[in-house]
Amino acid sequence: MKMMIDPPRARFRIRNGITGAYIHLTLFRVLEFSSRGEALLYISRHGLSRDIYYTEATL
């Protein structure tokens, strides 16, 4: 697994690598996490494929 250094105060989103779509909280609000670990936990708890979905840092 590749180690990533996250920027300070970054927020994390989950993105579909095939379609480019983000996971949304509501129709107009993208679901954001305060850490990469939280986003990865969401992926595993919801049974999303790590081959398709990945985390993305935003500032």
Side-chain angles (χ1 to χ4, degrees):
M1 182 160 81
K2 189 165 42 167
M3 292 296 294
M4 297 182 188
I5 299 174
D6 299 323
R9 295 185 308 272
R11 303 290 294 172
F12 298 89
R13 299 176 175 178
I14 299 172
R15 188 170 195 159
N16 182 317
I18 296 172
T19 65
Y22 292 102
I23 301 292
H24 283 77
L25 183 60
T26 65
L27 185 59
F28 300 107
R29 187 171 173 205
V30 174
L31 184 59
E32 291 188 335
F33 301 91
S34 59
S35 72
R36 187 176 304 275
E38 288 179 14
L40 292 172
L41 187 61
Y42 181 92
I43 289 171
S44 66
R45 284 191 176 166
H46 287 84
L48 302 175
S49 173
R50 293 280 312 267
D51 295 330
I52 298 173
Y53 292 92
Y54 64 92
T55 60
E56 179 178 274
T58 60
L59 298 175

